[in-house]
């Protein structure tokens, strides 16, 4: 090749390098879509988001500098979650983080090429989101939700806190979280161990849940367990006011319910799980394949007991039970 032709070729390649290099530039603005099941004004969600963004910063990702965070909120409504999921997909994000299962089905079919990190998904293999936990095999990975055996654990803890209970309803929203029926089944199986009648109570609206609480309050020894989901969170004020009015001991699956006046809660440490999710998002943004990130089972749980509510209900909780709690609200 002649010297002049070689120089011309080299110059043309040099001009093309910046264009190719920009596609691999590690500091380019990346995009993260986040689908949340609650409302944007919800304090619990805001504290969790703060934990997620703080953890992202420890990996070098700052919103507005080298990453853009696009949030969508479903407000606990299934249809809104589906629409929000498709909105996020159309934004062409580098990765999508979803909290809960609402909208995940739409993403599974539409966003086949977008890496997805899910949170609190019960039985992700059963529902076809991944092939197996060790090697997800698709474009999804993340963190499991509560195991079905949690129903029995809730029953055990509520019995320890309020041993006088003889009838306990396990309530869940059969529309937004149909899989929660497994918690009721687990509690039913454990009921005879505690001499407790367990009642399965699927509901879809607050009025139905209020009817269950009224039924329980009709005779002595009634209490209830309420599994966590967007419905429970959005209706928490009414739920807690009604439980207090009927003087019903209750166990909840989310910390914010006990913090807001519920007797007790036992569930996943969601802030800790969102910090773990930030690490997964970092791996994906740096080029790790989704299939190389195993689905992790929920492993950090927290028991919260509200002593103020216990006293209002006339309950004296044993020191050995209080010692099990991560947080005791005075």
């Amino acid at each position: 090749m002649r010297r002049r032709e070689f120089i011309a070729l080299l110059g043309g390649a040099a001009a093309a390098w910046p264009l190719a290099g920009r596609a691999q530039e590690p500091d380019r603005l990346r995009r993260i879509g986040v689908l949340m099941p609650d409302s944007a004004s919800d304090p619990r969600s805001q504290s969790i988001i703060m934990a997620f963004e703080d953890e992202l910063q420890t990996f070098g990702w700052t919103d507005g500098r080298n990453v853009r965070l696009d949030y969508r909120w479903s407000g606990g409504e299934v249809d809104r979650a589906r629409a929000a999921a498709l909105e996020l997909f159309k934004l062409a994000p580098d990765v999508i983080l979803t909290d809960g299962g609402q909208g995940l089905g739409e993403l599974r079919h539409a966003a086949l090429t977008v890496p997805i990190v899910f949170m609190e998904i019960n039985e992700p293999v059963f529902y076809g989101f991944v092939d197996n936990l060790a090697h997800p095999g698709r474009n999804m990975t993340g963190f499991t939700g509560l195991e079905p055996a949690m129903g029995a654990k809730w029953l055990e803890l509520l019995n320890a806190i309020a041993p006088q209970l003889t009838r306990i309803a396990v309530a869940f929203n059969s529309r937004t979280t149909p899989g929660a029926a497994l918690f009721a089944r687990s509690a039913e199986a454990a009921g005879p161990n505690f001499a407790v009648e367990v009642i399965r109570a699927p509901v879809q609206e607050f009025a139905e849940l209020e009817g269950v609480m009224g039924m329980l309050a009709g005779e002595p020894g009634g209490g209830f367990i309420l599994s966590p989901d967007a419905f429970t969170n959005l209706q928490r004020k009414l739920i807690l006011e009604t439980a207090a009015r009927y003087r019903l001991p209750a166990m909840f699956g989310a910390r914010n319910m006990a913090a807001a006046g519920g007797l007790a809660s036992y569930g996943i440490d969601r802030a800790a799980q969102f910090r773990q999710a930030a690490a997964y998002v970092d791996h994906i943004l740096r080029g790790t394949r989704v299939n190389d990130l195993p689905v992790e089972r929920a492993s950090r749980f927290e028991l919260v007991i509200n002593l103020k509510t216990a006293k209002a209900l006339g309950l004296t909780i044993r020191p050995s039970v209080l010692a099990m709690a991560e947080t005791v609200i005075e």
Side-chain angles (χ1 to χ4, degrees):
M1 181 180 293
R2 296 178 181 177
R3 181 174 181 273
R4 183 178 299 175
E5 293 173 342
F6 176 75
I7 292 174
L9 179 62
L10 184 62
W17 285 342
L19 296 176
R22 275 196 290 271
Q24 301 301 322
E25 175 57 50
D27 292 331
R28 72 175 175 85
L29 188 69
R30 308 297 182 87
R31 202 160 192 167
I32 303 172
V34 183
L35 179 59
M36 298 292 292
D38 305 315
S39 62
S41 61
D42 181 70
R44 178 188 70 160
S45 293
Q46 289 300 324
S47 66
I48 290 169
I49 284 172
M50 186 177 299
F52 174 67
E53 293 188 11
D54 287 348
E55 192 69 11
L56 275 180
Q57 287 191 30
T58 68
F59 295 111
W61 303 104
T62 302
D63 189 20
R65 183 175 65 83
N66 57 358
V67 71
R68 174 173 175 174
L69 290 161
D70 295 301
Y71 290 98
R72 293 294 184 273
W73 306 82
S74 71
E77 296 181 13
V78 175
D79 291 340
R80 283 178 60 185
R82 291 170 177 164
L86 294 177
E87 279 183 30
L88 286 176
F89 169 63
K90 291 177 182 178
L91 295 175
D94 294 278
V95 59
I96 295 176
L97 175 68
T98 69
D99 182 17
Q102 290 186 0
L104 191 56
E106 278 64 33
L107 289 174
R108 175 175 59 178
H109 297 299
L112 297 177
T113 59
V114 178
I116 296 170
V117 177
F118 56 71
M119 311 284 293
E120 296 192 63
I121 299 298
N122 300 325
E123 307 296 330
V125 176
F126 175 80
Y127 290 107
F129 295 127
V130 298
D131 293 338
N132 60 69
L133 301 187
H135 300 286
R138 307 189 185 199
N139 64 318
M140 294 187 184
T141 188
F143 304 85
T144 65
L146 299 170
E147 299 289 334
M150 184 57 68
K153 185 64 177 180
W154 285 329
L155 183 67
E156 175 189 349
L157 290 170
L158 184 55
N159 176 262
I161 293 169
Q164 80 280 9
L165 299 182
T166 56
R167 292 188 310 149
I168 296 176
V170 181
F172 57 95
N173 190 307
S174 57
R175 188 172 72 92
T176 59
T177 318
L182 297 175
F183 301 141
R185 192 177 304 167
S186 170
E188 286 173 336
N193 298 334
F194 305 101
V196 170
E197 177 191 1
V198 176
I199 303 166
R200 191 181 308 193
V203 301
Q204 293 191 2
E205 299 177 356
F206 172 73
E208 294 176 328
L209 179 59
E210 184 176 22
V212 172
M213 288 192 275
M215 177 270 294
L216 292 167
E219 298 179 13
F224 72 99
I225 294 167
L226 187 58
S227 67
D229 67 357
F231 163 80
T232 302
N233 186 48
L234 292 170
Q235 300 288 340
R236 66 184 179 278
K237 186 175 185 293
L238 284 172
I239 292 169
L240 295 174
E241 288 175 350
T242 306
R245 185 171 74 250
Y246 285 130
R247 297 182 57 79
L248 287 173
M251 170 64 67
F252 299 95
R255 176 191 180 95
N256 68 322
M257 297 297 288
L263 175 61
S265 67
Y266 184 73
I268 295 170
D269 184 339
R270 297 183 73 236
Q273 196 171 82
F274 266 77
R275 286 191 286 270
Q276 290 177 287
Y280 267 35
V281 168
D282 171 66
H283 280 302
I284 291 170
L285 292 179
R286 296 184 190 279
T288 301
R289 296 185 313 157
V290 172
N291 197 45
D292 293 331
L293 296 171
V295 176
E296 294 191 12
R297 293 189 180 277
S299 58
R300 296 187 60 174
F301 303 91
E302 54 183 354
L303 172 64
V304 180
I305 298 176
N306 192 316
L307 271 186
K308 182 178 179 181
T309 301
K311 291 175 182 176
L313 293 171
L315 297 174
T316 300
I317 302 176
R318 300 192 307 271
S320 59
V321 176
L322 292 174
M324 295 189 296
E326 279 71 23
T327 302
V328 175
I329 299 172
E330 301 284 350

